[in-house]
Each structure stands twice: as C-alpha cells, then as structure tokens.
Amino acid sequence: MSENKKRPVRVWCDGCYDMVHFGHANSLRQAKALGDVLIVGIHSDEEIAKHKGPPVFTQEERYKMVKGIKWVDEVVKNVPYITTLETLDKYDCDFCVHGDDITLTADGVDSYHLVKAAGRYKEVERTRGVSTTDIVGRMLLLTREHFRRGEREYEVERRQSTSLGLDHTATVPFTACSQFLPTSRKIIQFSEGMEPQKGDVVVYVAGAFDLFHTGHLDFLKKAKEQGDFLIVGLHTDPTVNRYKGSNYPIMNLHERVLSVLACRYVNEVVIGAPYAVTEELMSHFKVSLVCHGSKTPISDDTDGSDPYELPKRKNIFKLLDSGNSTTTETIVERIIKHRRELNKKVLRSKRCNEGISKVNLVYSNAISMPH
C-alpha cells in the first residue's frame, strides 16, 4: 500500500432497528461521517425479545430496511446484544458508534460497556422528537376515537396520553404526538443534492409513504429500475387525511420526507406534491415515466377526476407490482393486535428512561460539587 493511500476507516453500529425511521437513518448518517465504511449489526428477534420485548418487525424485515438506508455499506445479521471487542475485530472495525442515549440489557448492564472501556466507542447526537416507542404510541391512538378536522386541518389538538408515555406538548396534525422540529439543514443533510443528467430517464412516483416500511422500499426499488433518476412526491398531511381518513397520516410531512430521502433508491423528493400529476410538474422535472403501485388503490381527486389522467393520456403511466403486500395498514394491525404487550413495553421504556434521567442527574450533581 502506498504512503498516500490510507486504510479505510471502518465504523460499526448495531441495534434492534425495529420500526426503522428517520431517527435511525440520521444516527447512521452521522456514524458514516466518522469514517469511510459503515457496517451495521442487527440483533435477532430472540435477542430483542429477551432484553426489550418482542419486536414489531421480523428480523428479515429489519435486515431489509437497514440495507435500504443509503449510508449503510454492509449489514451483519444476528449480532449479540452486548457489543464486544471480538465483534469489532471480526469485522475489522476501528470503533463502535451509538447515539447519546443509554442502552441496557435485561440485567441493567450498559450494552456498550466493553467497547467504552477499551476506548473504541464514539457517540453521535440522537435525533430528538422521534423514537420507536413514540411511533408505536401514535399507532395505538388509532384504536381510540378518530377526529376529523376539515377546515381546521392545521389546528393542533393537544392530547395527553400518559398511558403511552407520550408528551402532552406534542403538536402534529391528526396524530398530535410528534415533537420533531424540522430544519432546512436537516433536509440538506439527507439530500443527495444531485440533478438528473442529460439523457436520464426520470421516473416520478407519489404518495403518502407513511410509516416507511418494506412495502415502500420494494416499490421504490422497482420504480428506480424503470429509469435513471427517481423523484418521489410526498402529499401533504391534509391530502393524506382526505384519502385515508381517521388519524392518518401517522407521521407528518417533514418526517415522511426524511424517511424517503434516506432510501438509497431515491434521488429527489417533492415536498407537498400536488395530488394530481400536472403538466407543470412533469415539464419542470422532465418526467419520462409516472409509476404507481398495482396493489395500492387510487382515490379520485377532490373534483372526482383521476389524478393520473394526464400521464395515462400521454402513455407514460405504469403500474408496478413490487411483490410485497405489506402496507401501512397491515403494520398498524400488528400493533393493535399486540397492543397489550406493546403498552407494557412502552411503560417499561418510560420507567427505564426516567430511571436513567435520575442517574444522570445524580451523576451531574456529584461532579459539579466542590471536592
């Protein structure tokens, strides 16, 4: 190896990665920035059940979702819950990266204590305002009385749900339970910042892409295969609520934007895309092909028209079968089916976080006292 060519820095991350969301993606983005190659280890269903309770997504679904995040280079299956030096050495990793929250085993042991003691551990900032527990809580709200807003669609109804461990200051339309604060900087961090090259076949798809899951991932992979540059239009919260009803969307527009931008198959996102595919939109983005999932129903526009009428007339519309039957609704059904166990899990998580906060407070007071 020449003196000028250094060995790539290999970074290790591991975790459950259940209900993969943009918070997980942001953590992996930050980890990748600390090195050159990012390897992600994923715990098995058995390991998670032992230490945290049963996961919502199966291990195969979780493997697929993490592989779909654009900053991930390699995925390792079935890794131990406690990160060891042997694991880092086995995959030739220089150090381990985790968020600035503490992860404990069923016995209350810090699962990173070994790599921390060896000086092979680094922390990144956890994305505030989102967690798997929070998202599960939002879905559990679907079992309660639904509310429709009509002209009051952006008025926020503050609701407290201490049984789910949700903060009463949450302020998202329809679900009223996200504390995520979007910024232009965060969107830029997730965006590729690239434009299609001359001669590229530009593919456009649109939808809610709510609670990003393997069904979305497989569809976007299929859509990307139809051309060179994939643009995803994300509908506004009121638009999604109009055609899906109830408390949908579960995640707000800004959260859905980041979730889609983190997908390795996506090149660009249209934030608040029009429900009907217009001439202006196709012309502006030089769209060559418009696609839609063959198993996803297409609701009429507010005037009763087909939102895909124009691309159909131009003969540039295509229905795609992703081969995956997973939908946001089927994920919600899983949550509702196991809500009793999940409620207990959320409460355990809340008590654990409260306990950790108390420990941190005691520690902070101790080191601030004069000796």
Coordinates of all heavy atoms in Angstrom, one line a residue, residues 137 140-141 144 158-168 176-177 343 346-347 350:
G137 N -46.8 4.4 19.9 CA -47.9 5.2 20.6 C -48.8 5.8 19.6 O -50.1 5.9 19.9
L140 N -51.2 3.3 18.3 CA -52.1 2.8 19.3 C -53.3 3.8 19.4 O -54.4 3.5 19.8 CB -51.4 2.6 20.6 CG -50.6 1.4 20.7 CD1 -49.8 1.4 22.1 CD2 -51.4 0.1 20.7
L141 N -53.0 5.1 19.1 CA -54.0 6.1 19.1 C -55.1 5.9 18.1 O -56.2 6.3 18.2 CB -53.4 7.5 18.9 CG -52.7 8.2 20.0 CD1 -52.0 9.5 19.6 CD2 -53.6 8.4 21.2
R144 N -58.4 4.6 19.3 CA -59.3 5.5 20.0 C -60.2 6.2 19.1 O -60.3 6.0 17.9 CB -58.4 6.5 20.8 CG -57.5 5.8 21.7 CD -56.7 6.8 22.6 NE -56.0 6.1 23.6 CZ -55.5 6.7 24.7 NH1 -55.7 7.9 24.9 NH2 -54.8 6.0 25.5
R158 N -54.2 19.4 21.5 CA -53.2 18.9 22.4 C -53.9 17.8 23.3 O -54.9 18.0 23.9 CB -52.7 20.0 23.3 CG -51.9 21.1 22.6 CD -51.4 22.1 23.5 NE -50.7 23.2 22.8 CZ -49.4 23.1 22.5 NH1 -48.7 22.1 22.8 NH2 -48.8 24.1 21.8
R159 N -53.2 16.6 23.2 CA -53.8 15.5 23.9 C -52.7 14.8 24.7 O -51.6 14.6 24.3 CB -54.4 14.5 22.9 CG -55.5 15.0 22.1 CD -55.8 14.2 20.9 NE -55.9 12.8 21.2 CZ -56.4 11.9 20.3 NH1 -56.9 12.3 19.2 NH2 -56.4 10.6 20.6
Q160 N -53.1 14.5 26.0 CA -52.1 13.9 26.8 C -52.5 12.4 26.9 O -53.6 12.0 27.1 CB -52.1 14.5 28.2 CG -51.0 13.9 29.1 CD -50.8 14.7 30.4 OE1 -51.6 15.6 30.6 NE2 -49.8 14.4 31.1
S161 N -51.5 11.5 26.8 CA -51.7 10.1 26.9 C -50.6 9.5 27.7 O -49.7 8.8 27.2 CB -51.7 9.5 25.5 OG -52.0 8.1 25.5
T162 N -50.7 9.7 29.0 CA -49.6 9.2 29.9 C -49.5 7.7 29.9 O -48.4 7.1 30.1 CB -49.9 9.7 31.3 OG1 -51.2 9.2 31.7 CG2 -49.8 11.2 31.4
S163 N -50.6 7.0 29.5 CA -50.5 5.5 29.5 C -49.6 5.0 28.4 O -49.1 3.9 28.4 CB -51.9 4.9 29.3 OG -52.4 5.3 28.0
L164 N -49.3 5.9 27.4 CA -48.5 5.5 26.3 C -47.1 6.2 26.4 O -46.2 6.0 25.6 CB -49.1 6.0 24.9 CG -50.4 5.3 24.6 CD1 -50.9 5.8 23.3 CD2 -50.2 3.8 24.5
G165 N -46.9 7.0 27.5 CA -45.6 7.6 27.6 C -45.4 8.8 26.7 O -44.3 9.1 26.3
L166 N -46.5 9.4 26.2 CA -46.3 10.5 25.2 C -46.4 11.8 25.8 O -47.1 12.0 26.8 CB -47.5 10.4 24.1 CG -47.5 9.0 23.4 CD1 -48.7 9.1 22.4 CD2 -46.2 8.8 22.6
D167 N -45.6 12.7 25.3 CA -45.5 14.1 25.9 C -46.8 14.9 25.5 O -47.2 14.9 24.4 CB -44.3 14.8 25.4 CG -44.0 16.0 26.2 OD1 -44.9 16.8 26.4 OD2 -42.8 16.2 26.5
H168 N -47.4 15.6 26.5 CA -48.6 16.3 26.2 C -48.4 17.6 25.4 O -49.3 18.2 24.9 CB -49.3 16.7 27.5 CG -48.6 17.7 28.3 ND1 -47.5 17.5 29.1 CD2 -48.8 19.1 28.4 CE1 -47.0 18.6 29.6 NE2 -47.8 19.6 29.3
A176 N -51.2 14.3 16.6 CA -50.9 15.2 17.7 C -49.9 14.6 18.7 O -50.1 14.6 19.9 CB -52.2 15.6 18.4
C177 N -48.8 14.0 18.2 CA -47.9 13.4 19.1 C -46.4 13.3 18.7 O -45.7 12.5 19.1 CB -48.3 12.0 19.5 SG -48.6 10.9 18.1
N343 N -48.2 -1.9 25.1 CA -48.4 -0.9 26.1 C -47.5 -1.1 27.3 O -46.9 -0.2 27.9 CB -49.9 -0.9 26.6 CG -50.8 0.1 25.9 OD1 -50.4 1.2 25.7 ND2 -52.0 -0.4 25.5
V346 N -44.0 0.0 26.3 CA -43.9 1.5 26.3 C -43.7 2.0 27.7 O -42.9 2.8 28.0 CB -45.1 2.1 25.6 CG1 -45.1 3.6 25.8 CG2 -45.2 1.8 24.1
L347 N -44.5 1.4 28.6 CA -44.4 1.8 30.0 C -43.0 1.4 30.6 O -42.5 2.2 31.4 CB -45.5 1.2 30.9 CG -46.9 1.8 30.7 CD1 -48.0 0.9 31.4 CD2 -47.0 3.2 31.2
K350 N -40.6 3.9 29.4 CA -40.8 5.2 30.0 C -40.1 5.2 31.4 O -39.4 6.1 31.8 CB -42.2 5.5 30.2 CG -42.5 6.9 30.9 CD -44.0 7.1 31.1 CE -44.2 8.5 31.8 NZ -45.6 8.7 32.1

